[in-house]
Structures are given as C-alpha cells and as structure tokens.
Amino acid sequence: MYDCIVVGGGVAGLSAGLYTARAELDTLVVSAGESILARNASLENYPGLPAGFDARRYLSIVRDQAESAGCTVVDDRIERVAGSVESASGPEVRPFKLAGADGNYEARRVVAASWPDSEYLTETDVERIQRGNKHVVSVDRAGRTTVDGLYAAGRIADTPHQAIVAAGHGATVGLAVVQDSDTPFYHDWVAPRGYFTGRDRDVPPACDEIEADERLARDERARRRLAQKLEEPFADEPTQHPRVVDE
C-alpha cells in the first residue's frame, strides 16, 4: 500500500508527487499517457523560461525529476476510486482502492490531478461542482476535498488553465498531504552552512546546510544535467485536439 497515489501524470500531478516523495512518503503517480500540456505547440508565460519552451520536453524533465525524488510512475488509466472509510472495529481507516485499466492499487491518501472529469471519484461521495458538461471537485485552498484523505490538484480542482498555475497548485496540494500525514517537515530549503546552526538552531526537518564547495558542486551538476536535456531537439510532436479531423 502506498502512502500517496497521484492520479494524473501532468504538471499538477508530478508537482504534487515531487513534494510528497521529497518528504519520503511512498508515492505512486499513475499517468493515463497524455497530459493536456502535450498539446501545446510552445509553453509560454512560464517564469524562468523567457523564450518559451517545448511543452513535451518540459513534461519529460518534470517526470524525470519526480522519479529522481522517489516517485514511482506507471502508465495506467484509473477508472474507479473507492472511498476510504472507518473500519467496524474502530477508528482505523481502510485504504482507498483504485481500479485501473491495467491494475489495482491501494493508498492511504489520493491526489486527483487528472483532466477535469471526476466521474471516477463518484464512489467516494466527494462534493463536486458542474462546469459545462463535466464535474470538477470542490476543494479548500490547500486542495483538500470533503473526503478525508482525498485531495485534488490542477484542472480537476477548477484552477485556471495555465501550466504555472497547475505546477504551483500541485505543490500546494503535495505539501498539504505531507502536513496531514504528520511527517516531520519544515520546508525543503538547502541553506548555506550556518544559516540555522549559526543562530543556535537545529536544522529543521527536510532542510540541509551545505558548505560552499558543495554548493558549487551542485550548481555544476545542475548545469551539466540541464545542458544534456537541451542538447538535441525534442522529437515528440504536439498532439492535436481529438475533435480535429485529420486530412
């Protein structure tokens, strides 16, 4: 059984999984195979990428980053989520059960980060809101739903249709999962040596202090790794909207 299962391998889901995995929660990301971001011809208006970026390359980099942080990522489509309920013997909570097209999964907590169609969540009795011909999930500011242990991030949580918003909301939801799991976690700052200890403070959970030579070494590794990712053109073409007829 996983500590957290994220349904959706787009930017919101991968961002949520990145934070839960960094906090050492056993995290599975289930990707249905295509993020809607893969349809973008070019990813624009993303801070830090002033000339835009190939959206499919961006997704590939974020997926690699989530896996490096400890996420297990599988390709499957979740078709049904059964709600977590208290057992008859007491307050112990039974896990969420997720049925996919290719496999079944269990988790203590679930983050729905898929496209804005929440039909697969109806058995959880989560509160939903109709938006056109679909139903999104009602959440609080941290992505918590009306069902304990069930969260929603990105478009399915009725957030604006922008990659940077999805990434930020996924991170917010991932941190809510960490907080609710009672995992010791302050923030994931990597600080210069003495930042905390120089003020007679213990280094908080999930933080670190490093020497100047380690900072420079990390910077070199980061530049080298990013250069490798950008060395060649990315081969994947944007996918078209399914309603567009190929000629």
Side-chain angles (χ1 to χ4, degrees):
M1 179 171 64
Y2 291 92
D3 293 322
C4 179
I5 290 180
V6 181
V7 181
V11 59
L14 290 170
S15 182
L18 175 64
Y19 276 84
T20 57
R22 287 266 297 192
E24 299 185 352
L25 297 180
D26 191 13
T27 301
L28 175 71
V29 177
V30 183
S31 173
E34 180 190 273
S35 165
I36 197 168
L37 183 58
R39 297 177 181 176
N40 280 30
S42 177
L43 173 60
E44 304 290 334
N45 299 328
Y46 203 103
L49 302 174
F53 207 71
D54 184 283
R56 287 142 303 283
R57 188 196 299 272
Y58 170 78
L59 285 168
S60 175
I61 290 174
V62 177
R63 178 165 174 159
D64 288 348
Q65 185 178 2
E67 290 178 323
S68 295
C71 287
T72 300
V73 183
V74 299
D75 293 322
D76 197 358
R77 182 178 296 276
I78 297 301
E79 299 175 338
R80 183 173 62 87
V81 177
S84 177
V85 296
E86 290 187 359
S87 65
S89 60
E92 182 182 356
V93 175
R94 294 203 296 267
F96 290 93
K97 295 183 181 296
L98 295 80
D102 298 324
N104 297 315
Y105 314 90
E106 292 187 351
R108 295 179 177 88
R109 291 176 173 82
V110 171
V111 176
S114 58
W115 290 16
D117 184 353
S118 59
E119 292 303 310
Y120 67 96
L121 298 173
T122 54
E123 290 186 32
T124 67
D125 293 326
V126 69
E127 182 179 334
R128 303 191 301 158
I129 305 168
Q130 186 167 2
R131 290 286 184 264
N133 62 349
K134 293 182 173 62
H135 289 78
V136 297
V137 178
S138 177
V139 297
D140 67 9
R141 293 182 63 182
R144 299 179 180 92
T145 74
T146 53
V147 175
D148 287 343
L150 178 61
Y151 308 76
R155 291 289 292 141
I156 198 171
D158 206 22
T159 62
H161 201 9
Q162 296 293 329
I164 185 63
V165 175
H169 195 241
T172 298
V173 175
L175 289 173
V177 174
V178 173
Q179 179 180 350
D180 295 347
S181 70
D182 294 327
T183 300
F185 191 88
Y186 178 60
H187 49 53
D188 61 352
W189 277 13
V190 179
R193 179 66 65 190
Y195 186 87
F196 297 105
T197 55
R199 294 178 287 150
D200 295 324
R201 291 184 55 188
D202 292 334
V203 178
C207 294
D208 196 9
E209 289 186 348
I210 60 174
E211 302 287 355
D213 56 350
E214 174 61 16
R215 176 182 63 81
L216 293 174
R218 291 190 184 196
D219 178 66
E220 182 180 354
R221 288 196 300 271
R223 288 185 287 107
R224 183 169 61 247
R225 186 171 180 182
L226 188 57
Q228 290 171 348
K229 294 288 187 183
L230 301 177
E231 188 174 9
E232 298 291 339
F234 204 72
D236 291 0
E237 295 289 332
T239 54
Q240 188 55 273
H241 192 285
R243 291 184 180 178
V244 176
V245 179
D246 291 333
E247 295 183 359

Short mmCIF file of all heavy atoms in Angstrom, two decimals, residues 39-92:
data_model
loop_
_atom_site.label_atom_id
_atom_site.label_comp_id
_atom_site.label_asym_id
_atom_site.label_seq_id
_atom_site.Cartn_x
_atom_site.Cartn_y
_atom_site.Cartn_z
N ARG A 39 -0.39 19.07 -25.80
CA ARG A 39 -0.99 19.64 -26.99
C ARG A 39 -0.41 21.01 -27.35
O ARG A 39 -0.60 21.49 -28.46
CB ARG A 39 -2.50 19.77 -26.81
CG ARG A 39 -3.23 18.45 -26.61
CD ARG A 39 -4.70 18.69 -26.36
NE ARG A 39 -5.44 17.44 -26.14
CZ ARG A 39 -6.72 17.38 -25.82
NH1 ARG A 39 -7.42 18.51 -25.68
NH2 ARG A 39 -7.30 16.21 -25.63
N ASN A 40 0.28 21.62 -26.41
CA ASN A 40 0.81 22.96 -26.65
C ASN A 40 1.91 22.93 -27.70
O ASN A 40 2.83 22.11 -27.62
CB ASN A 40 1.38 23.55 -25.36
CG ASN A 40 0.30 24.10 -24.45
OD1 ASN A 40 -0.82 23.60 -24.47
ND2 ASN A 40 0.63 25.08 -23.64
N ALA A 41 1.84 23.83 -28.67
CA ALA A 41 2.93 23.96 -29.63
C ALA A 41 4.17 24.53 -28.95
O ALA A 41 5.30 24.16 -29.27
CB ALA A 41 2.49 24.85 -30.79
N SER A 42 3.97 25.44 -27.98
CA SER A 42 5.08 26.01 -27.22
C SER A 42 4.56 26.45 -25.87
O SER A 42 3.49 27.07 -25.78
CB SER A 42 5.70 27.19 -27.96
OG SER A 42 6.74 27.79 -27.21
N LEU A 43 5.30 26.15 -24.82
CA LEU A 43 4.92 26.56 -23.47
C LEU A 43 5.40 27.99 -23.24
O LEU A 43 6.60 28.26 -23.24
CB LEU A 43 5.56 25.61 -22.45
CG LEU A 43 5.41 25.97 -20.97
CD1 LEU A 43 3.94 26.05 -20.57
CD2 LEU A 43 6.14 24.96 -20.10
N GLU A 44 4.46 28.91 -23.07
CA GLU A 44 4.79 30.32 -22.91
C GLU A 44 4.37 30.81 -21.52
O GLU A 44 3.68 30.11 -20.77
CB GLU A 44 4.07 31.15 -23.98
CG GLU A 44 4.35 30.70 -25.42
CD GLU A 44 5.77 30.99 -25.87
OE1 GLU A 44 6.38 31.93 -25.33
OE2 GLU A 44 6.26 30.28 -26.77
N ASN A 45 4.79 32.03 -21.19
CA ASN A 45 4.39 32.71 -19.95
C ASN A 45 4.74 31.90 -18.70
O ASN A 45 4.02 31.93 -17.71
CB ASN A 45 2.88 33.01 -19.95
CG ASN A 45 2.48 33.93 -21.08
OD1 ASN A 45 3.26 34.79 -21.48
ND2 ASN A 45 1.29 33.75 -21.61
N TYR A 46 5.86 31.18 -18.77
CA TYR A 46 6.31 30.40 -17.61
C TYR A 46 7.54 31.09 -17.05
O TYR A 46 8.56 31.21 -17.73
CB TYR A 46 6.65 28.97 -18.04
CG TYR A 46 6.60 27.97 -16.91
CD1 TYR A 46 5.52 27.10 -16.78
CD2 TYR A 46 7.62 27.89 -15.97
CE1 TYR A 46 5.45 26.19 -15.74
CE2 TYR A 46 7.57 26.99 -14.93
CZ TYR A 46 6.49 26.13 -14.82
OH TYR A 46 6.42 25.23 -13.79
N PRO A 47 7.49 31.59 -15.80
CA PRO A 47 8.63 32.31 -15.24
C PRO A 47 9.92 31.49 -15.32
O PRO A 47 9.94 30.30 -15.00
CB PRO A 47 8.20 32.54 -13.79
CG PRO A 47 6.72 32.56 -13.83
CD PRO A 47 6.34 31.55 -14.87
N GLY A 48 10.98 32.15 -15.74
CA GLY A 48 12.27 31.49 -15.86
C GLY A 48 12.55 30.93 -17.24
O GLY A 48 13.67 30.51 -17.51
N LEU A 49 11.54 30.93 -18.10
CA LEU A 49 11.70 30.45 -19.48
C LEU A 49 11.30 31.59 -20.42
O LEU A 49 10.24 31.56 -21.03
CB LEU A 49 10.85 29.21 -19.73
CG LEU A 49 11.11 28.02 -18.79
CD1 LEU A 49 10.09 26.91 -19.03
CD2 LEU A 49 12.53 27.49 -18.97
N PRO A 50 12.14 32.63 -20.53
CA PRO A 50 11.72 33.87 -21.22
C PRO A 50 11.44 33.70 -22.70
O PRO A 50 10.71 34.50 -23.27
CB PRO A 50 12.92 34.81 -20.98
CG PRO A 50 14.08 33.91 -20.72
CD PRO A 50 13.51 32.73 -19.99
N ALA A 51 12.01 32.69 -23.34
CA ALA A 51 11.77 32.49 -24.77
C ALA A 51 10.80 31.34 -25.03
O ALA A 51 10.67 30.89 -26.16
CB ALA A 51 13.09 32.22 -25.49
N GLY A 52 10.11 30.91 -24.00
CA GLY A 52 9.23 29.76 -24.14
C GLY A 52 10.00 28.46 -24.04
O GLY A 52 11.23 28.44 -23.86
N PHE A 53 9.27 27.34 -24.19
CA PHE A 53 9.91 26.03 -24.02
C PHE A 53 9.04 24.99 -24.69
O PHE A 53 7.81 25.14 -24.78
CB PHE A 53 10.05 25.72 -22.52
CG PHE A 53 11.19 24.80 -22.19
CD1 PHE A 53 12.50 25.23 -22.29
CD2 PHE A 53 10.95 23.51 -21.75
CE1 PHE A 53 13.55 24.39 -21.96
CE2 PHE A 53 11.99 22.66 -21.43
CZ PHE A 53 13.30 23.10 -21.53
N ASP A 54 9.66 23.92 -25.16
CA ASP A 54 8.90 22.81 -25.73
C ASP A 54 8.13 22.12 -24.60
O ASP A 54 8.73 21.64 -23.63
CB ASP A 54 9.84 21.82 -26.41
CG ASP A 54 9.09 20.70 -27.10
OD1 ASP A 54 8.63 19.78 -26.39
OD2 ASP A 54 8.94 20.74 -28.33
N ALA A 55 6.81 22.06 -24.74
CA ALA A 55 5.97 21.55 -23.65
C ALA A 55 6.23 20.08 -23.37
O ALA A 55 6.21 19.64 -22.21
CB ALA A 55 4.49 21.77 -24.00
N ARG A 56 6.48 19.29 -24.39
CA ARG A 56 6.72 17.86 -24.19
C ARG A 56 8.07 17.62 -23.53
O ARG A 56 8.21 16.74 -22.69
CB ARG A 56 6.61 17.13 -25.54
CG ARG A 56 5.16 17.02 -26.03
CD ARG A 56 5.05 17.19 -27.52
NE ARG A 56 5.59 18.45 -28.00
CZ ARG A 56 4.95 19.64 -27.88
NH1 ARG A 56 3.75 19.69 -27.32
NH2 ARG A 56 5.50 20.75 -28.31
N ARG A 57 9.06 18.43 -23.89
CA ARG A 57 10.36 18.33 -23.21
C ARG A 57 10.19 18.69 -21.74
O ARG A 57 10.77 18.03 -20.85
CB ARG A 57 11.38 19.25 -23.87
CG ARG A 57 12.80 19.04 -23.30
CD ARG A 57 13.72 20.19 -23.67
NE ARG A 57 13.90 20.35 -25.08
CZ ARG A 57 14.85 19.72 -25.79
NH1 ARG A 57 15.64 18.86 -25.20
NH2 ARG A 57 14.97 19.96 -27.08
N TYR A 58 9.42 19.75 -21.48
CA TYR A 58 9.18 20.17 -20.10
C TYR A 58 8.55 19.03 -19.29
O TYR A 58 9.00 18.71 -18.18
CB TYR A 58 8.28 21.40 -20.08
CG TYR A 58 7.79 21.77 -18.71
CD1 TYR A 58 8.60 22.43 -17.81
CD2 TYR A 58 6.50 21.42 -18.29
CE1 TYR A 58 8.16 22.76 -16.53
CE2 TYR A 58 6.04 21.74 -17.04
CZ TYR A 58 6.88 22.40 -16.16
OH TYR A 58 6.43 22.71 -14.90
N LEU A 59 7.53 18.38 -19.85
CA LEU A 59 6.89 17.27 -19.15
C LEU A 59 7.87 16.13 -18.89
O LEU A 59 7.87 15.51 -17.82
CB LEU A 59 5.69 16.76 -19.95
CG LEU A 59 4.44 17.63 -19.92
CD1 LEU A 59 3.45 17.18 -20.99
CD2 LEU A 59 3.80 17.59 -18.54
N SER A 60 8.72 15.84 -19.87
CA SER A 60 9.71 14.79 -19.71
C SER A 60 10.70 15.11 -18.60
O SER A 60 11.04 14.25 -17.77
CB SER A 60 10.47 14.58 -21.04
OG SER A 60 11.51 13.65 -20.90
N ILE A 61 11.13 16.36 -18.53
CA ILE A 61 12.06 16.78 -17.49
C ILE A 61 11.41 16.67 -16.11
O ILE A 61 12.02 16.17 -15.15
CB ILE A 61 12.56 18.21 -17.75
CG1 ILE A 61 13.47 18.23 -18.98
CG2 ILE A 61 13.29 18.78 -16.54
CD1 ILE A 61 13.88 19.62 -19.42
N VAL A 62 10.16 17.12 -16.00
CA VAL A 62 9.48 17.08 -14.70
C VAL A 62 9.22 15.63 -14.27
O VAL A 62 9.36 15.29 -13.09
CB VAL A 62 8.16 17.88 -14.75
CG1 VAL A 62 7.43 17.77 -13.42
CG2 VAL A 62 8.44 19.35 -15.06
N ARG A 63 8.88 14.77 -15.22
CA ARG A 63 8.69 13.36 -14.87
C ARG A 63 10.00 12.75 -14.37
O ARG A 63 10.02 12.03 -13.36
CB ARG A 63 8.16 12.58 -16.08
CG ARG A 63 7.99 11.09 -15.81
CD ARG A 63 7.14 10.43 -16.86
NE ARG A 63 7.10 8.97 -16.69
CZ ARG A 63 6.14 8.20 -17.18
NH1 ARG A 63 5.15 8.71 -17.88
NH2 ARG A 63 6.17 6.89 -16.99
N ASP A 64 11.11 13.03 -15.05
CA ASP A 64 12.41 12.54 -14.59
C ASP A 64 12.73 13.07 -13.19
O ASP A 64 13.26 12.34 -12.34
CB ASP A 64 13.52 12.97 -15.56
CG ASP A 64 13.48 12.20 -16.87
OD1 ASP A 64 12.75 11.20 -16.96
OD2 ASP A 64 14.18 12.63 -17.82
N GLN A 65 12.39 14.33 -12.96
CA GLN A 65 12.66 14.94 -11.65
C GLN A 65 11.84 14.26 -10.56
O GLN A 65 12.34 13.99 -9.46
CB GLN A 65 12.36 16.43 -11.70
CG GLN A 65 12.72 17.17 -10.42
CD GLN A 65 12.46 18.67 -10.53
OE1 GLN A 65 11.98 19.14 -11.56
NE2 GLN A 65 12.78 19.41 -9.49
N ALA A 66 10.56 13.98 -10.84
CA ALA A 66 9.72 13.32 -9.86
C ALA A 66 10.24 11.92 -9.55
O ALA A 66 10.26 11.48 -8.38
CB ALA A 66 8.28 13.25 -10.37
N GLU A 67 10.67 11.21 -10.58
CA GLU A 67 11.22 9.87 -10.37
C GLU A 67 12.52 9.94 -9.57
O GLU A 67 12.77 9.10 -8.69
CB GLU A 67 11.42 9.16 -11.71
CG GLU A 67 10.12 8.79 -12.39
CD GLU A 67 10.32 8.14 -13.75
OE1 GLU A 67 11.25 8.55 -14.48
OE2 GLU A 67 9.55 7.23 -14.07
N SER A 68 13.35 10.94 -9.85
CA SER A 68 14.60 11.10 -9.10
C SER A 68 14.33 11.42 -7.63
O SER A 68 15.11 11.05 -6.75
CB SER A 68 15.46 12.21 -9.72
OG SER A 68 15.87 11.86 -11.03
N ALA A 69 13.22 12.09 -7.37
CA ALA A 69 12.85 12.42 -5.99
C ALA A 69 12.29 11.23 -5.23
O ALA A 69 12.16 11.27 -4.01
CB ALA A 69 11.83 13.56 -5.98
N GLY A 70 11.95 10.15 -5.95
CA GLY A 70 11.45 8.95 -5.30
C GLY A 70 10.09 8.48 -5.75
O GLY A 70 9.61 7.44 -5.27
N CYS A 71 9.44 9.20 -6.67
CA CYS A 71 8.14 8.76 -7.17
C CYS A 71 8.30 7.53 -8.05
O CYS A 71 9.25 7.43 -8.83
CB CYS A 71 7.48 9.85 -8.02
SG CYS A 71 6.84 11.26 -7.10
N THR A 72 7.35 6.60 -7.92
CA THR A 72 7.18 5.56 -8.91
C THR A 72 6.12 6.04 -9.88
O THR A 72 5.04 6.45 -9.46
CB THR A 72 6.73 4.24 -8.26
OG1 THR A 72 7.72 3.81 -7.32
CG2 THR A 72 6.54 3.15 -9.31
N VAL A 73 6.41 6.02 -11.18
CA VAL A 73 5.46 6.49 -12.18
C VAL A 73 5.08 5.31 -13.07
O VAL A 73 5.96 4.63 -13.62
CB VAL A 73 6.05 7.63 -13.04
CG1 VAL A 73 5.00 8.14 -14.03
CG2 VAL A 73 6.52 8.78 -12.15
N VAL A 74 3.79 5.04 -13.19
CA VAL A 74 3.31 3.97 -14.05
C VAL A 74 2.29 4.54 -15.04
O VAL A 74 1.61 5.53 -14.74
CB VAL A 74 2.66 2.81 -13.26
CG1 VAL A 74 3.67 2.18 -12.32
CG2 VAL A 74 1.43 3.29 -12.50
N ASP A 75 2.21 3.93 -16.19
CA ASP A 75 1.23 4.33 -17.19
C ASP A 75 0.00 3.43 -17.07
O ASP A 75 0.07 2.22 -17.29
CB ASP A 75 1.83 4.23 -18.60
CG ASP A 75 2.94 5.24 -18.82
OD1 ASP A 75 2.80 6.38 -18.34
OD2 ASP A 75 3.94 4.90 -19.47
N ASP A 76 -1.10 4.02 -16.67
CA ASP A 76 -2.37 3.30 -16.50
C ASP A 76 -3.46 4.36 -16.44
O ASP A 76 -3.19 5.55 -16.23
CB ASP A 76 -2.36 2.46 -15.22
CG ASP A 76 -3.45 1.40 -15.19
OD1 ASP A 76 -4.26 1.32 -16.15
OD2 ASP A 76 -3.50 0.63 -14.20
N ARG A 77 -4.69 3.94 -16.62
CA ARG A 77 -5.82 4.87 -16.52
C ARG A 77 -6.72 4.42 -15.36
O ARG A 77 -7.27 3.32 -15.38
CB ARG A 77 -6.63 4.90 -17.81
CG ARG A 77 -7.80 5.89 -17.78
CD ARG A 77 -8.54 5.91 -19.11
NE ARG A 77 -7.67 6.39 -20.17
CZ ARG A 77 -7.47 7.68 -20.45
NH1 ARG A 77 -8.08 8.62 -19.71
NH2 ARG A 77 -6.68 8.04 -21.44
N ILE A 78 -6.82 5.27 -14.34
CA ILE A 78 -7.67 4.95 -13.20
C ILE A 78 -9.13 5.13 -13.60
O ILE A 78 -9.54 6.21 -14.04
CB ILE A 78 -7.33 5.83 -11.98
CG1 ILE A 78 -5.89 5.56 -11.52
CG2 ILE A 78 -8.31 5.57 -10.85
CD1 ILE A 78 -5.62 4.14 -11.12
N GLU A 79 -9.92 4.08 -13.42
CA GLU A 79 -11.32 4.10 -13.82
C GLU A 79 -12.28 4.23 -12.65
O GLU A 79 -13.43 4.64 -12.83
CB GLU A 79 -11.63 2.81 -14.59
CG GLU A 79 -10.79 2.67 -15.86
CD GLU A 79 -10.99 1.34 -16.56
OE1 GLU A 79 -11.43 0.37 -15.89
OE2 GLU A 79 -10.72 1.27 -17.78
N ARG A 80 -11.79 3.91 -11.45
CA ARG A 80 -12.69 3.95 -10.29
C ARG A 80 -11.86 4.08 -9.02
O ARG A 80 -10.83 3.44 -8.88
CB ARG A 80 -13.54 2.68 -10.23
CG ARG A 80 -14.56 2.64 -9.11
CD ARG A 80 -15.47 1.41 -9.27
NE ARG A 80 -14.69 0.17 -9.19
CZ ARG A 80 -14.40 -0.46 -8.04
NH1 ARG A 80 -14.78 0.06 -6.89
NH2 ARG A 80 -13.71 -1.58 -8.07
N VAL A 81 -12.34 4.94 -8.10
CA VAL A 81 -11.73 5.06 -6.78
C VAL A 81 -12.80 4.79 -5.75
O VAL A 81 -13.85 5.44 -5.74
CB VAL A 81 -11.12 6.47 -6.56
CG1 VAL A 81 -10.56 6.58 -5.14
CG2 VAL A 81 -10.05 6.77 -7.59
N ALA A 82 -12.56 3.82 -4.89
CA ALA A 82 -13.48 3.52 -3.79
C ALA A 82 -13.02 4.26 -2.55
O ALA A 82 -11.82 4.25 -2.21
CB ALA A 82 -13.53 2.01 -3.53
N GLY A 83 -13.96 4.88 -1.86
CA GLY A 83 -13.63 5.77 -0.76
C GLY A 83 -13.04 5.07 0.44
O GLY A 83 -13.26 3.89 0.67
N SER A 84 -12.26 5.83 1.19
CA SER A 84 -11.69 5.36 2.44
C SER A 84 -12.72 5.57 3.55
O SER A 84 -13.30 6.64 3.69
CB SER A 84 -10.41 6.13 2.76
OG SER A 84 -9.87 5.77 3.99
N VAL A 85 -12.97 4.51 4.35
CA VAL A 85 -13.97 4.60 5.42
C VAL A 85 -13.41 4.00 6.69
O VAL A 85 -12.46 3.21 6.68
CB VAL A 85 -15.27 3.85 5.04
CG1 VAL A 85 -15.93 4.50 3.84
CG2 VAL A 85 -14.98 2.39 4.76
N GLU A 86 -14.01 4.36 7.83
CA GLU A 86 -13.60 3.78 9.10
C GLU A 86 -14.03 2.32 9.18
O GLU A 86 -15.11 1.95 8.73
CB GLU A 86 -14.21 4.57 10.27
CG GLU A 86 -13.63 5.96 10.43
CD GLU A 86 -14.12 6.64 11.69
OE1 GLU A 86 -14.93 6.01 12.39
OE2 GLU A 86 -13.69 7.76 11.96
N SER A 87 -13.16 1.49 9.73
CA SER A 87 -13.49 0.08 9.87
C SER A 87 -14.48 -0.12 11.00
O SER A 87 -14.62 0.71 11.90
CB SER A 87 -12.22 -0.73 10.14
OG SER A 87 -11.67 -0.37 11.39
N ALA A 88 -15.17 -1.25 10.98
CA ALA A 88 -16.19 -1.53 12.01
C ALA A 88 -15.57 -1.71 13.38
O ALA A 88 -16.24 -1.52 14.40
CB ALA A 88 -16.97 -2.78 11.60
N SER A 89 -14.30 -2.06 13.44
CA SER A 89 -13.66 -2.34 14.73
C SER A 89 -13.13 -1.10 15.42
O SER A 89 -12.64 -1.19 16.54
CB SER A 89 -12.51 -3.34 14.51
OG SER A 89 -11.55 -2.79 13.63
N GLY A 90 -13.20 0.05 14.78
CA GLY A 90 -12.68 1.24 15.44
C GLY A 90 -12.30 2.32 14.45
O GLY A 90 -12.71 2.30 13.30
N PRO A 91 -11.44 3.26 14.90
CA PRO A 91 -11.12 4.43 14.07
C PRO A 91 -10.11 4.17 12.97
O PRO A 91 -9.80 5.07 12.21
CB PRO A 91 -10.56 5.41 15.11
CG PRO A 91 -9.96 4.54 16.17
CD PRO A 91 -10.86 3.34 16.24
N GLU A 92 -9.58 2.95 12.90
CA GLU A 92 -8.62 2.68 11.85
C GLU A 92 -9.25 2.89 10.47
O GLU A 92 -10.36 2.43 10.22
CB GLU A 92 -8.11 1.24 11.95
CG GLU A 92 -7.06 0.90 10.90
CD GLU A 92 -6.61 -0.54 11.00
OE1 GLU A 92 -7.06 -1.24 11.92
OE2 GLU A 92 -5.83 -0.97 10.13
#
